[in-house]
Amino acid sequence: MARACIGIDLGGTFIKFGLLGEDRQTGARLQLPTPRDGGAEAIIARMVEGARKLAAEAGLGREDLVAVGIGAPGPADLRRGVILAMPNLPGMENVPLARGVGEALGVPAYLENDANAAAYGEFCCGCGKGTRNLVLLTLGTGVGSGVIVEGEIVHGSHDLGGEVGHMIVQVDGDPCPCGQQGCLERYSSAAAIARRAREGVEAGRPSSLAEVLRRKGDLDAKDVEAACKAGDALAAEVWDDGVRHLAVACVNICRVIDPDLIVLAGGLAGAGADLLGPVGEHFRRLHWSLTAPRTRIVLSALGDQAGVIGAAAVAWRASRQS
Amino acid sequence: MARACIGIDLGGTFIKFGLLGEDRQTGARLQLPTPRDGGAEAIIARMVEGARKLAAEAGLGREDLVAVGIGAPGPADLRRGVILAMPNLPGMENVPLARGVGEALGVPAYLENDANAAAYGEFCCGCGKGTRNLVLLTLGTGVGSGVIVEGEIVHGSHDLGGEVGHMIVQVDGDPCPCGQQGCLERYSSAAAIARRAREGVEAGRPSSLAEVLRRKGDLDAKDVEAACKAGDALAAEVWDDGVRHLAVACVNICRVIDPDLIVLAGGLAGAGADLLGPVGEHFRRLHWSLTAPRTRIVLSALGDQAGVIGAAAVAWRASRQS
């Protein structure tokens, strides 16, 4: 590989690294455990270590490394490259992450929200190649999202764009820790589907999931999916309700920005056709009849590499502009 | 005025004309009745007549007229400048309006959706001056909308962007002629507020509006506003419900594109503080607590001139790009 950017995806458990060439070909990748006790210094050191290792493995000379992009969760001042806080990592308050990593590696480094980076990854190198407008929804513990309009990540006027997980899809609905009621992620995240099934069991609804809960001590979305396929009524109801609210959000996304694609990613997207089939049905049913639905709902093509690839693509984008 | 573009706003009753200078100063304006019986030919001839008259009045030489922008309702192929249909004007199917007007005047002409044009007008010359992201909602017979992201009108991938009037704000809600249920415009347009109050009266709800309905034969949103201010319970309920659903849409707009401004326009915006006050209260209540609300909700600054000014601004924008 000639000139390349390194993408880094900072998660609570792992830090992932990947190379992206000038021709948008992906290269070597790597993951290292996230140091949880050393604060910002340890995180930065681990990022530098991983980036150097990856560059060495790929035989990338110093002058061939163009820039580094870092995708991270939580509130950030993206322009300044500063992490304001990280939900599950102590010591990450007001950390100038981009500067720390960039100075150590001797190249420019850029910070991006992790869901935005994943959306940009799919846009540049995944299922969004050749499109102009795309929204990615990561259905995991919460619902992360990234919005691409005319090829650019939508940051909004206050770096709060692309928070579709907190779109209100049910007025006066389920309270969300964010302070709103009826947010998408209260119905359609993997965690919400598990939680709502568990609540049903605990409320005494008859379900095969009662036995699973007893055995495992908890439920996850895969349990609900399996029970749903086996004909369990509670599981089917929770799954359908999650999927239906997801379809409402998809219609509303179309009404604001009318994208080519809505990309479903994250744990729940592992359900594949069991997710895509019913989402598509609800979407077509809820969608207006003025025009046929033209926005396509698809599964992520890059899976858990979307964030790393997108972070590298963000670095390419920024280094071409500067 | 030296060099200028002419903006034309095609409505069902009037065609409005206005001048916009290179320095974004607005100039002379004019309105002529919309010819309803002569089909496309008569519409085009009236547009050409108005534009020539306005240019003459302003002492604009032939070489000073840079381009013409036309804002029109209904489905259109904007790139080709073709009106596909107009809801209330017969003979407007597949009309190459931009070419017809442009060739007669001897300048380039550009077609834009009227609500998009109004949003762009507020963005360039009205309350959105100096912002980057803005959404305009026109609360009239329906709810029209235009979405501006990073200074550009969002057309979407299929020219269906900026249809916020058909955002679903109430799952399984009121059926909309568009085929969806629970669309914003079923609750928050001027017409919806009038209709819902009338339905309440007809259902036998005690209300001072019963007498108004008897006297006038119908109700409008102004009647509901007046009754609401006078303490009528039915009117207050309908007004509040409309305003609350509008606030839900505002929160959801923030979650997708996080604009600087949401601009309220159209007939209902005539209520001024009676609209803005309660919308702001609901918005702050419904908005997450993760950050204070930073998107401001404001009234249109340009009123019914936003469309004309915006159409001219669209012409400036396009002529600078070509």
Side-chain angles (χ1 to χ4, degrees), chain A residues 157 163 168 252 255 260, chain B residues 157 163 168 252 255 258 260:
Chain A
S157 295
E163 290 284 356
I168 297 170
N252 288 351
R255 297 302 158 252
D260 298 280
Chain B
S157 296
E163 289 285 356
I168 297 170
N252 288 351
R255 297 300 158 253
D258 176 31
D260 298 281

Side-chain angles (χ1 to χ4, degrees), chain B residues 51-76:
Chain B
R52 285 194 177 130
K53 205 165 159 187
L54 192 70
E57 274 178 20
L60 204 69
R62 166 64 199 83
E63 62 287 355
D64 297 327
L65 180 58
V66 175
V68 171
I70 306 167

